[in-house]
């Protein structure tokens, strides 16, 4: 099977796209053409794929990326058995003549609007009906896979869920240490950037450092750079997911301080599962699914939502208690690891994902396309990162 995978929004080393889905396809012996912003992200395409470089869609500057993607997908789809796209705006770039096409729904697009600080407020208020129109049209004409069970509520039809599981080491990782707290993932205000800077400031007198591993929104980069220059924390920027998780191993705790916003409210943050998989005690805000998982497994601590200083105070107290109790933090890390290995190991579902695409590739191709001639064609400034 020849599969064309496309994104202009996500990093070419995105964990869900590249390290899980494309890797599963390659391991199954399929051919992959990957349309992605390699040059923009300074990424060398991995061996085994046919790479097609396009500009990256960033903020309000998306027209060039969408035009390039339209041309690239048109060419790549000619000899593909299946087309798999990961951005809502790529629904506007699909070639009219194409193989069976799949949209991987990464997020609650409408729920994510408030976190997109580059969108003027009036624009955010008028976009929901356009998004619903594009999503409805996609559901009628394409195959959909969902990253979360909660996304089923957005679509009247039944669509398979391909969860954001992770690779869990087959041997237990080293127990948590006592001098380092970590955060892995994209950094933004809604993901707790201000809280984490304050946490780093308050932990410094105790000899505990904070490592931030991941790219950051433009709005928070100056704050992070200032904190790093002041010696409060280490910010490593983007690191491929597999390397980032190895860097995180041995940490005293892993932070997931997502705010109570619609896009996160009904999701299980992938970083929580990744910390568990690496034997790291979790500190999370009380988002329902995260709190339920951490509480049930007893693999971490839940702190309240609130003002940055109050959240930082709660987190610091948790971290200091964990540092003083090596047995407790080791037990938390071990329970999280076992739970992740038994229930959240990506290879356990990778075969089902590949088999699903193989079945769809045998389906007759639809020639009906989503184009920007439709009323919803004005939708060009959306999509974003996975939790």
């Amino acid at each position: 099977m020849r599969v064309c995978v496309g994104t202009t929004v996500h990093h070419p080393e995105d964990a869900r796209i590249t390290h899980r889905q494309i890797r599963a396809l390659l391991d199954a012996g399929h051919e992959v053409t990957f349309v992605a912003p390699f040059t923009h992200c300074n990424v060398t395409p991995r061996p085994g794929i046919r790479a097609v470089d396009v500009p990256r869609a960033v903020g309000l500057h998306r027209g060039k990326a969408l035009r390039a993607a339209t041309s690239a997908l048109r060419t790549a789809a000619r000899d593909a058995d299946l087309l798999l796209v990961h951005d809502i705006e790529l629904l506007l770039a699909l070639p009219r003549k194409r193989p069976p096409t799949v949209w991987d729904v990464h997020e609650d697009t409408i729920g994510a609007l408030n976190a997109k600080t580059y969108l003027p407020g009036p624009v955010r208020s008028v976009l929901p009906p356009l998004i619903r129109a594009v999503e409805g049209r996609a559901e009628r004409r394409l195959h959909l896979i969902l990253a979360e069970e909660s996304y089923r509520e957005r679509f009247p039809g039944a669509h398979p869920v391909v969860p954001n599981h992770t690779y869990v080491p087959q041997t237990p990782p080293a127990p948590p240490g006592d001098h380092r707290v970590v955060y892995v993932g994209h950094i933004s205000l809604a993901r707790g950037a201000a809280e984490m800077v304050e946490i780093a400031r308050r932990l410094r007198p105790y000899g505990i450092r904070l490592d931030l591993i991941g790219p950051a929104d433009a709005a928070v980069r100056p704050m992070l750079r200032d904190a790093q220059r002041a010696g409060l924390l280490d910010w490593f920027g983007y690191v491929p997911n597999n390397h980032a998780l190895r860097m995180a191993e041995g940490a005293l705790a892993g932070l997931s301080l997502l705010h109570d916003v619609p896009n996160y409210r009904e999701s299980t943050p992938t970083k929580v599962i990744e910390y568990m998989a690496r034997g790291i005690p979790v500190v999370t805000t009380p988002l329902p699914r995260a709190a339920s998982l951490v509480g049930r497994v007893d693999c971490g601590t839940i702190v309240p939502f609130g003002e940055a200083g109050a959240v930082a105070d709660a987190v610091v107290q948790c971290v200091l208690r964990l540092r003083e109790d090596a047995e407790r933090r080791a037990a938390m890390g071990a329970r999280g690891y076992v739970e992740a290995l038994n229930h959240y190991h990506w290879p356990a579902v990778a075969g089902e994902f590949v088999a699903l695409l193989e079945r769809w590739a045998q389906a007759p191709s639809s020639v009906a396309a989503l184009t920007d001639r439709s009323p919803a064609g004005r939708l060009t400034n959306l999509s974003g990162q996975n939790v």
Side-chain angles (χ1 to χ4, degrees):
M1 179 173 68
R2 294 164 296 185
V3 181
C4 176
V5 180
T7 182
T8 60
V9 171
H10 299 281
H11 195 284
E13 288 284 341
D14 179 86
R16 178 175 176 85
I17 299 172
T18 302
H19 292 277
R20 297 175 195 135
Q21 296 184 3
I22 289 180
R23 177 174 168 180
L25 289 166
L26 294 175
D27 288 347
H30 297 302
E31 300 177 20
V32 175
T33 297
F34 190 16
V35 177
F38 294 97
T39 298
H40 183 278
C41 297
N42 195 28
V43 169
T44 300
R46 59 180 47 215
I49 68 167
R50 176 179 170 235
V52 180
D53 190 32
V54 292
R56 192 176 192 185
V58 179
L60 294 173
H61 306 290
R62 299 184 176 234
K64 182 179 179 181
L66 189 61
R67 290 190 296 272
T70 300
S71 176
L73 292 177
R74 184 186 303 117
T75 301
R78 290 173 185 164
D79 61 355
D81 300 305
L82 189 87
L83 180 59
L84 171 60
V85 297
H86 292 269
D87 317 335
I88 191 170
E89 50 259 71
L90 287 190
L91 301 180
L92 310 176
L94 298 178
R96 184 170 295 277
K97 293 184 178 179
R98 61 179 189 269
T101 300
V102 182
W103 175 32
D104 185 0
V105 183
H106 282 229
E107 68 173 1
D108 178 352
T109 313
I110 295 175
L113 287 175
N114 286 337
K116 300 185 185 303
T117 55
Y118 58 82
L119 287 175
V123 174
R124 285 198 294 269
S125 67
V126 302
L127 283 176
L130 299 178
I131 295 171
R132 292 189 190 97
V134 170
E135 290 184 339
R137 189 172 174 87
E139 184 178 28
R140 293 191 299 272
R141 297 169 181 266
L142 311 177
H143 300 288
L144 270 59
I145 57 177
L146 313 178
E148 294 275 354
E149 287 283 348
S150 61
Y151 296 170
R152 293 185 188 275
E153 300 174 4
R154 293 163 49 196
F155 302 97
H159 305 288
V161 174
V162 176
N164 273 321
H165 291 178
T166 188
Y167 289 93
V168 184
Q170 293 301 297
T171 56
D178 63 0
H179 67 282
R180 183 171 62 104
V181 174
V182 299
Y183 171 89
V184 176
H186 192 84
I187 306 168
S188 68
L189 289 173
R191 294 168 187 255
E195 291 90 332
M196 290 190 288
V197 170
E198 185 60 27
I199 288 165
R201 181 177 291 108
R202 298 186 186 199
L203 286 176
R204 186 182 185 187
Y206 298 98
I208 301 173
R209 81 172 190 268
L210 173 62
D211 287 350
L212 302 180
I213 309 171
D217 281 357
V220 302
R221 288 174 204 155
M223 175 173 59
L224 299 182
R225 285 193 290 262
D226 289 345
Q228 182 160 255
R229 291 189 188 108
L232 299 180
L233 53 80
D234 290 314
W235 175 34
F236 294 91
Y238 180 83
V239 178
N241 184 254
N242 54 338
H243 299 303
L245 296 179
R246 284 199 292 270
M247 291 170 62
E249 285 188 11
L252 170 62
L255 303 181
S256 178
L257 304 180
L258 301 175
H259 291 187
D260 185 20
V261 297
N263 191 37
Y264 304 151
R265 195 167 294 140
E266 296 302 324
S267 297
T268 301
T270 306
K271 58 178 59 60
V272 169
I273 297 170
E274 290 173 336
Y275 297 149
M276 292 167 60
R278 300 293 167 149
I280 302 169
V282 180
V283 178
T284 178
T285 46
L287 292 169
R289 293 175 186 263
S292 175
L293 175 59
V294 170
R296 176 177 59 81
V297 179
D298 190 14
C299 60
T301 306
I302 301 162
V303 297
F305 297 117
E307 180 268 332
V311 173
D313 184 58
V315 172
V316 169
Q317 292 181 37
C318 293
V319 168
L320 294 179
R321 286 196 295 268
L322 283 174
R323 188 176 71 165
E324 297 305 315
D325 194 339
E327 183 176 345
R328 179 169 178 253
R329 68 176 184 263
M332 282 183 169
R335 286 191 291 267
Y337 167 76
V338 171
E339 178 73 10
L341 183 63
N342 289 338
H343 300 289
Y344 297 98
H345 189 34
W346 166 252
V349 297
E352 297 175 16
F353 163 73
V354 172
L356 178 66
L357 298 193
E358 290 171 342
R359 289 197 302 273
W360 282 341
Q362 301 304 314
S365 175
S366 169
V367 297
L370 289 163
T371 74
D372 59 6
R373 290 189 295 273
S374 71
R378 291 167 286 171
L379 181 64
T380 59
N381 292 314
L382 299 177
S383 194
Q385 300 285 336
N386 212 38
V387 174

